[in-house]
Amino acid sequence: MAEEANSKSINGVFDASGIDATNVGIPLPGARPNPLINDLKAKHLNKGVLIPLKTTQEVRQDHTIVQAYITRAPTKSANEVITALRGLRPEGGANPLPHLRTCAKPTDLPAHLKTQFMNDDPVGRQIHTAKSTWIYIIAGEVNEINREDLVETLAAVEALDNGSFVATIPIPLLAPTSQVQAAMWSSQFWPTVYRKNNPLGPHPSMVGRGTDEIKEDASLWMALAHRVALQAKASGIGEAMGAVIVQRGEMGAELVGLAGDARKHQERNGAFLSNTMTHCVLRAISMVAQKLVRHEHQAAGITSNQANLYYDCFQDKPLIELERQCFEQEHPNKDGYLCHGLELYVTHEPCVACSMGILHSRMGKAVFCHHMARTGGLSSDDRPDGGGRGLGLFWRRELNWSLLAWEWERENVPTLPPVHPATHV
């Protein structure tokens, strides 16, 4: 099911990061009418500032330098050498360094390499002082290729019967993030290609489009999240924290689900239980799922009876009036995959558990208002007082889902009661 979600969205086609590719460059209408937000529109449109989150690599600028083998061959025999080198790579022939030129003319090498190879031997002097018929070829990373195997492979190439040339040079492991950086690396390491992408995170144009899509009504949904947070606090079920889930399509942005924090709703022996499932984000995601299941049951004529449990660990039934009103409304698209491509607006940065829930539910965008420096899971900033590095879970190469995320600089929404900085949201 997750694989299907990676290729189809609720309203169109998404790429692997959850960004709708069908609406690229097409401005979408704003929030659709809904009794829960109609009175907020007058004061809460185009307010605040959306600040895109940086990935862990963008924060640390992790441009790792590694060692690589290079060789050289007559230009007419370059393809023969490249074919022989492919068999040495653990990827089975795939190019592991697509941001580097596989071949480089002697004149294209950085100045210090030209000088080095020119002074190494008579062949090098001849190659670099006359019109050359030779070309340099990058073989691969040192830690992935055995030097003896490399020399043996090159020795089997007939065009290199006079002996093979092998040298080690430093190269950047990751791709450049700009044309300027590519030019700088070409002069320092090896001819480098900028492919107009961002290997450290989402491409700037993707972030720009995402910001343009939500900037008009982001403050509206955040105002609703603050409203449900204050209602949850006033009712005594939890802290002043709230989450709103929105679906954006050709007809505009529609409310799908909302929930307040409910960590104080259940207690045992006079103590409140610290239960992650009562956090507002996971409660809101669960209510979206319940709407989809409710539709499936109605369509199939199934009558579902509410479980009668001594302790309901999920606390995902509506507990306050705003939750009840939203839960009674039908899901605007009943054939979707949980929260695939939807937008989350939450008063506080979600904790690690909730952040992973956001990823697993295939959310497309997430916006939070209050940064939780000690406990938040989306941000990549280093935690204070030696608390370690932020996880930046919204965009990690090792995870199979990514989304866009912003911190919203508060404007025109009520101040929420403070929470302890070590609180998990």
Side-chain angles (χ1 to χ4, degrees), residues 206-247:
M206 182 186 295
V207 177
R209 289 197 303 269
T211 303
D212 289 341
E213 287 175 358
I214 68 173
K215 64 182 180 181
E216 178 185 6
D217 52 52
S219 53
L220 176 67
W221 305 117
M222 196 62 75
L224 181 60
H226 278 65
R227 176 176 284 182
V228 71
L230 291 173
Q231 194 173 107
K233 177 74 172 179
S235 66
I237 67 169
E239 299 289 350
M241 303 166 182
V244 170
I245 296 177
V246 173
Q247 174 182 301

Side-chain angles (χ1 to χ4, degrees), residues 265-266 283 287 290 293-294 297 302-319 324 327:
H265 181 59
Q266 289 279 6
R283 293 187 70 230
M287 290 187 195
Q290 289 183 72
V293 171
R294 182 175 66 194
H297 286 180
I302 299 174
T303 302
S304 58
N305 297 319
Q306 184 174 354
N308 184 18
L309 303 177
Y310 175 72
Y311 174 64
D312 181 3
C313 68
F314 292 100
Q315 296 302 329
D316 57 358
K317 300 297 182 185
L319 298 174
R324 293 189 187 97
F327 191 72

Side-chain angles (χ1 to χ4, degrees), residues 131-389:
K131 185 176 181 180
S132 181
T133 58
W134 285 66
I135 197 164
Y136 285 87
I137 304 168
I138 192 163
E141 291 181 58
V142 167
N143 64 353
E144 293 185 349
I145 297 178
N146 181 278
R147 186 183 180 94
E148 287 72 22
D149 292 341
L150 174 60
V151 172
E152 183 179 348
T153 297
L154 294 175
V157 179
E158 184 177 351
L160 304 179
D161 55 357
N162 292 329
S164 57
F165 168 88
V166 175
T168 303
I169 64 168
I171 60 167
L173 180 61
L174 298 177
T177 58
S178 68
Q179 188 65 53
V180 173
Q181 191 172 62
M184 181 177 67
W185 286 357
S186 295
S187 65
Q188 292 179 337
F189 302 106
W190 182 265
T192 306
V193 181
Y194 173 56
R195 302 191 181 279
K196 297 184 179 180
N197 62 358
N198 180 10
L200 307 182
H203 195 278
S205 63
M206 182 186 295
V207 177
R209 289 197 303 269
T211 303
D212 289 341
E213 287 175 358
I214 68 173
K215 64 182 180 181
E216 178 185 6
D217 52 52
S219 53
L220 176 67
W221 305 117
M222 196 62 75
L224 181 60
H226 278 65
R227 176 176 284 182
V228 71
L230 291 173
Q231 194 173 107
K233 177 74 172 179
S235 66
I237 67 169
E239 299 289 350
M241 303 166 182
V244 170
I245 296 177
V246 173
Q247 174 182 301
R248 191 176 302 273
E250 296 179 358
M251 302 301 294
E254 300 181 73
L255 178 64
V256 179
L258 60 79
D261 181 70
R263 69 188 67 202
K264 296 181 179 180
H265 181 59
Q266 289 279 6
E267 63 175 277
R268 274 188 177 178
N269 301 323
F272 295 115
L273 298 178
S274 180
N275 181 6
T276 307
M277 298 305 299
T278 62
H279 294 183
C280 60
V281 170
L282 293 186
R283 293 187 70 230
I285 290 173
S286 182
M287 290 187 195
V288 171
Q290 289 183 72
K291 284 188 174 185
L292 294 172
V293 171
R294 182 175 66 194
H295 168 70
E296 292 174 359
H297 286 180
Q298 291 173 349
I302 299 174
T303 302
S304 58
N305 297 319
Q306 184 174 354
N308 184 18
L309 303 177
Y310 175 72
Y311 174 64
D312 181 3
C313 68
F314 292 100
Q315 296 302 329
D316 57 358
K317 300 297 182 185
L319 298 174
I320 56 180
E321 185 57 31
L322 275 173
E323 293 175 355
R324 293 189 187 97
Q325 292 179 37
C326 182
F327 191 72
E328 289 172 358
Q329 299 175 356
E330 292 298 324
H331 195 300
N333 187 308
K334 305 174 185 64
D335 299 320
Y337 169 79
L338 196 49
C339 296
H340 186 255
L342 302 188
E343 301 170 5
L344 171 73
Y345 297 86
V346 58
T347 55
H348 298 73
E349 181 184 1
C351 66
V352 174
C354 290
S355 296
M356 288 305 298
I358 293 168
L359 291 176
H360 287 309
S361 66
R362 298 299 191 253
M363 204 75 72
K365 300 182 181 73
V367 185
F368 64 81
C369 184
H370 299 279
H371 175 44
M372 301 298 291
R374 297 178 186 273
T375 62
L378 292 181
S379 296
S380 305
D381 302 321
D382 290 347
R383 303 188 187 280
D385 304 325
R389 290 180 170 180

